[in-house]
Amino acid sequence: MQTTGDLDRLRQAVTAWRSAGQAVALVPTMGALHAGHIALIEAAKRPGTRVVASIFVNPKQFGPAEDLGRYPRREASDARMLNAAGCDLLWAPSVETMYPMGFATNIAVAGVSDGFDGAARPGHFDGVATVVTKLFNQVRPDLAYFGEKDFQQLAVIRRLVADLDMPIEIVGVPTQRDDDGLALSSRNIYLDDDQRARAVALPRALGIAARSIGRGDLVEDALTEARATLIAAGFEIDYVALADAETLAEDPAPDRPRRLLAAARLGTTRLIDNVPIEQG
Ligand code: PAF
């Protein structure tokens, strides 16, 4: 695996692959890799395709009171994991390369960015859309892979790519979970043993509510029960809501693809999760 933080070297590698008739897939990450990220690399590895992973802890998507300073950084072990997974190139730009002096552009994707995490974390999705646009322009991938765990992020990126006519196929990869169902996240390491044991209430409450809504029970009853379960487990809830899986509008019609979304805090750790509604 090649590793570079130099844009010219990245472009040389990508140009050489393209000249050889190969496709390029990008897996954008902020590092602190876990099995969820490796599942993205595995999904991206196809015959005739070269895989680029990026690691960049993007300051623009953290609010002033958020965990940018303590966000886990494990460059050496991340590189070993990517190499072992069969990644071809690690793109690891510095903050100065990504946002040189004078950088002044902001990409905002209205509507789909506004609710849920967008409301709880003002500016977060502008930061994501801006850095992902830069990563797409730097790497020029044919395909890009994102986890469904960050479901609103995936919806924002799909809208961005459609609106700006970017010739990139966006592939959503199902959430990877621990044996007890907790979604893998780089932030799970912040949980102490007691919080980790209680965290499982989040996927369980969402699973029960999603099955109940899928059977045709009243949405508000299912959401109320899920919220009560989370509060009993010690969570402070940001939101538990049903949304249209494409637009993320609330109160979606039952014949639309629907997603149950939640964000809640255990102590200072904010966890998010989501599940599809399967009819019947
Ligand atoms: O999901 C992430 O790790 C980040 O939001 C992303 C997509 C790499 C942009 O910084």
Side-chain angles (χ1 to χ4, degrees), residues 59-99:
K60 288 196 184 294
Q61 68 188 76
F62 289 79
E66 290 184 354
D67 58 346
L68 174 63
R70 67 167 186 151
Y71 198 83
R73 290 166 203 253
R74 302 194 211 113
E75 288 84 355
S77 67
D78 286 348
R80 281 196 297 275
M81 283 173 76
L82 291 171
N83 189 32
C87 176
D88 294 290
L89 189 146
L90 167 56
W91 168 230
S94 64
V95 175
E96 293 71 30
T97 298
M98 194 59 92
Y99 301 124

Side-chain angles (χ1 to χ4, degrees), residues 133-213:
T133 302
K134 287 214 61 157
L135 289 167
F136 285 172
N137 284 333
Q138 290 163 345
V139 178
R140 309 250 174 99
D142 303 287
L143 307 108
Y145 289 74
F146 295 87
E148 286 185 346
K149 187 191 148 259
D150 295 296
F151 197 78
Q152 188 173 12
Q153 168 172 282
L154 181 57
V156 168
I157 291 164
R158 287 192 194 284
R159 186 75 262 162
L160 168 77
V161 163
D163 287 355
L164 298 186
D165 306 312
M166 294 176 174
I168 302 170
E169 184 186 335
I170 302 301
V171 184
V173 176
T175 303
Q176 304 295 302
R177 297 180 181 278
D178 268 340
D179 290 344
D180 64 359
L182 183 67
L184 298 188
S185 163
S186 304
R187 291 189 166 102
N188 290 354
I189 57 160
Y190 300 151
L191 298 170
D192 63 27
D193 289 350
D194 173 56
Q195 291 169 333
R196 176 62 190 82
R198 286 185 284 127
V200 71
L202 180 57
R204 286 195 186 145
L206 287 185
I208 291 168
R211 283 192 293 279
S212 157
I213 294 167

